[in-house]
Amino acid sequence: MAEQLVADLREKCDTPVSLLRDVAAAMADEMCAGLEKEGGSRVKMLLSYVDKLPTGREDGLFYGLDLGGTNFRVLKVQLGGNDKHVISRESREVAIPPHLMSGSSSELFAFIASELAKFVTDEEKGTSLSNGKKLELGFTFSFPVRQRSVASGTLVKWTKAFSIEDAVGKDVVAELQTAMQKQGLDMHVAALINDAVGTLAGARYYDEDVVAGVIFGTGTNAAYVEKANAIPKWEGELPNSGEMVINMEWGNFYWRHLPVTEYDEALDNESLNPGEQIYEKLTSGMYLGEIVRRVLLKLSLQSAIFGEIDHTKLKTHFHLRTPHISAMHHDETPDLKIVAEKLEETLGIAGTSLETRKMVVEICDIVARRAARLAAAGLAGILKKLGRDGSVDKRRSVIAIDGGLFEHYAKFSKCLETTLNELLGEESLKFIIVKHADDGSGIGAALIAASQSQYRNVE
């Protein structure tokens, strides 16, 4: 019975190369549809209004603010132009008190501005403040916003642990700017971006061949550089650079032949956003542990594999997290000791046999492999849309990836890279490069502030 259940799971999660090529083609098609007209695709293809990415020539002092979860980060970057790049960087992480995550907009932004003001004061001690120039800040805000310009955007909805009703529909830059003024902080918000755009900018600063920035963490998203004349829904004058960074919001991608199982369907039906973010639910760190938990629960209820156990923990949604399945998946001890420990500590399942533990590792492998292979197909879709998948254009193309899933789940990132090679062919290894971009979203905000600076051409 147990073996059959795992065999069925393996079959339903199967991702042969032919299927992945179709996923990549579907992603490229959805990208085109989303660029064609507003609402033309489930993949939103939002204009970021960032038309100038950092070149490595920027110089001066810039600040970044990165708000995307229960902590936010402030950082200061001193740039030295062509030869020196980043001369120095200082940062501070601040935990947001839980009551502020569901309070009022003004309270949240007042707290952020006061911490930012403290950081600036501490950092600027003994230095003269930027010779009469206003300090400039890049703001990474990783929640859905509708942008009207590079430095304004209204909040569409909160995600993660936030639920501040009165902030929805407001311009988050104006809210931050007002809060900073109340703190007596003379600082100009030069750009509003999200973490995928920040990752793209942070990597582009060091390498002009970076074409996309991608997040595989709790959630997933991608941003890439598009030709401005390839965006039919763009209204108004085309930017001088001829380029525009597109924030794809690709977590909402869906294609009817995606390898979805009963466990995914149940997870989706019981989620806060049924029918949405299907690609994210198959590929991101928030969900992989939960999918495995659902498989283990069915296994336990339909076979005697775990013996007589208390199902309380196994029945608790999101009790098994992706770091737990990563630890089990990477267990190389001969008797799978780490798997035994995690099952007991996390799910209250003790006294498992080696055979059972091997089966648990296999389930982790099936779920993580499917995620990594679908993730690779998404990357192939972007490259295909840009004509850089090796079929015609053989220019060097770099994809910068950030996020805890990619950084810490080694079997996921390895499988993603080998799958991309499978899809594009061995030849592509010479000119298509995937690299980990550490802390892209934080430094990216400061770097975009530099490339958008109001003082950029004034010497």
Side-chain angles (χ1 to χ4, degrees), residues 164 175 225 367 405:
I164 302 170
E175 293 287 296
V225 185
V367 171
L405 182 64

Side-chain angles (χ1 to χ4, degrees), residues 263-276 278 281:
Y263 310 102
D264 303 298
E265 285 169 354
L267 183 155
D268 179 47
N269 289 335
E270 293 164 27
S271 69
L272 295 171
N273 53 352
E276 291 183 25
I278 301 297
K281 285 168 183 167

Side-chain angles (χ1 to χ4, degrees), residues 239-258:
N240 293 338
S241 67
E243 293 184 334
M244 170 61 64
V245 174
I246 299 293
N247 163 24
M248 287 177 62
E249 292 294 340
W250 80 351
N252 203 38
F253 170 71
Y254 176 75
W255 178 58
R256 68 184 187 282
H257 299 301
L258 284 173

Side-chain angles (χ1 to χ4, degrees), residues 82 107 116 152 362 414:
N82 261 346
E107 286 173 327
L116 182 57
S152 70
E362 187 178 356
K414 185 83 188 92

Side-chain angles (χ1 to χ4, degrees), residues 228-246:
N229 62 9
I231 309 171
K233 70 179 178 183
W234 172 272
E235 291 168 4
E237 270 181 67
L238 293 181
N240 293 338
S241 67
E243 293 184 334
M244 170 61 64
V245 174
I246 299 293

Side-chain angles (χ1 to χ4, degrees), residues 82-325:
N82 261 346
D83 308 326
K84 295 180 180 161
H85 284 306
V86 176
I87 296 171
S88 67
R89 56 187 281 181
E90 302 293 333
S91 68
R92 183 181 296 173
E93 191 150 322
V94 183
I96 300 172
H99 71 275
L100 290 181
M101 293 186 201
S102 53
S104 71
S105 172
S106 58
E107 286 173 327
L108 175 68
F109 284 103
F111 176 73
I112 291 169
S114 73
E115 291 296 325
L116 182 57
K118 279 182 212 164
F119 178 71
V120 171
T121 306
D122 293 346
E123 286 298 318
E124 301 300 340
K125 273 185 185 139
T127 60
S128 65
L129 278 183
S130 52
N131 54 32
K133 291 180 181 177
K134 249 187 174 173
L135 296 175
E136 293 185 289
L137 173 89
F139 183 15
T140 302
F141 184 74
S142 299
F143 300 92
V145 290
R146 189 166 286 112
Q147 288 202 229
R148 293 280 172 263
S149 71
V150 73
S152 70
T154 54
L155 176 64
V156 176
K157 63 175 179 187
W158 289 106
T159 54
K160 303 163 215 179
F162 287 80
S163 58
I164 302 170
E165 288 307 317
D166 73 343
V168 175
K170 285 187 180 169
D171 181 348
V172 291
V173 173
E175 293 287 296
L176 177 61
Q177 205 75 68
T178 303
M180 291 194 302
Q181 277 160 356
K182 286 182 180 163
Q183 288 291 331
L185 184 56
D186 191 20
M187 190 177 263
H188 165 68
V189 180
L192 173 71
I193 60 171
N194 72 3
D195 49 1
V197 177
T199 296
L200 170 59
R204 180 71 165 253
Y205 180 74
Y206 292 104
D207 187 338
E208 64 184 10
D209 294 332
V210 173
V211 294
V214 184
I215 305 290
F216 288 113
T218 306
T220 182
N221 193 16
Y224 76 103
V225 185
E226 184 57 274
K227 291 188 206 66
N229 62 9
I231 309 171
K233 70 179 178 183
W234 172 272
E235 291 168 4
E237 270 181 67
L238 293 181
N240 293 338
S241 67
E243 293 184 334
M244 170 61 64
V245 174
I246 299 293
N247 163 24
M248 287 177 62
E249 292 294 340
W250 80 351
N252 203 38
F253 170 71
Y254 176 75
W255 178 58
R256 68 184 187 282
H257 299 301
L258 284 173
V260 171
T261 68
E262 61 184 272
Y263 310 102
D264 303 298
E265 285 169 354
L267 183 155
D268 179 47
N269 289 335
E270 293 164 27
S271 69
L272 295 171
N273 53 352
E276 291 183 25
Q277 301 295 106
I278 301 297
Y279 184 63
E280 181 168 77
K281 285 168 183 167
L282 293 170
T283 56
S284 80
M286 171 114 181
Y287 300 101
L288 302 187
E290 173 63 3
I291 298 165
V292 171
R293 180 195 68 78
R294 287 169 180 268
V295 178
L296 296 179
L297 177 61
K298 183 169 183 184
L299 201 56
S300 180
L301 294 174
Q302 297 199 352
S303 76
I305 191 163
F306 298 133
E308 286 294 313
I309 62 161
D310 175 355
H311 283 87
T312 312
K313 288 180 176 173
L314 195 48
K315 283 183 173 172
T316 306
H317 289 193
F318 292 96
H319 196 71
L320 187 68
R321 292 173 43 248
T322 301
H324 299 138
I325 72 161

